[in-house]
Amino acid sequence: MPKRILQGTVTSDKNDQTVTVLVERRFKHPVLQKTIRKTKKYRAHDEANTFKVGDIVRIQECAPKSKTKRWEVVAQV
C-alpha cells in the first residue's frame, strides 16, 4: 500500500526530534456547496532537528516511532 504524503506548516519544534505540522485540507460542502477549510495537526519525526516554526514541509506515513508519532518529515518545500 502506498504511503500518504501531506504538506503543511511547522507550528512547533520544542520537542527533541519532533515537529508538529498543521495540515489544511479544502473541500466543498456536500449540501451548501461552500468551500470549507479543515485543519489537523500531526506530530512528525525530525531526526536532525533541522526544521523550525514556519517552515513548509512534506510529511510521509511511517511505522510508529512513539505513542503519538506515525509520520516523518520528508523534505522542505
Side-chain angles (χ1 to χ4, degrees):
M1 189 165 164
K3 296 180 180 182
R4 290 188 296 165
I5 296 177
L6 302 175
Q7 182 173 317
T9 308
V10 176
T11 57
S12 174
D13 62 351
K14 293 186 180 196
N15 297 76
D16 188 35
Q17 295 186 342
T18 304
V19 290
T20 304
V21 180
L22 185 76
V23 175
E24 178 185 288
R25 64 187 191 95
R26 293 172 179 231
F27 62 96
K28 274 201 180 244
H29 189 281
V31 176
L32 302 177
Q33 297 301 310
K34 178 181 178 181
T35 302
I36 299 175
R37 297 183 339 171
K38 285 220 177 192
T39 59
K40 187 172 180 182
K41 287 184 179 180
Y42 296 94
R43 290 168 62 81
H45 186 67
D46 175 17
E47 185 73 41
N49 291 319
T50 53
F51 301 103
K52 301 297 173 204
V53 175
D55 291 347
I56 298 173
V57 295
R58 285 210 168 98
I59 58 174
Q60 172 180 311
E61 266 184 322
C62 66
K65 304 255 184 208
S66 72
K67 181 181 174 183
T68 56
K69 286 197 290 186
R70 274 102 175 102
W71 296 82
E72 58 191 0
V73 179
V74 178
Q76 187 171 0
V77 178

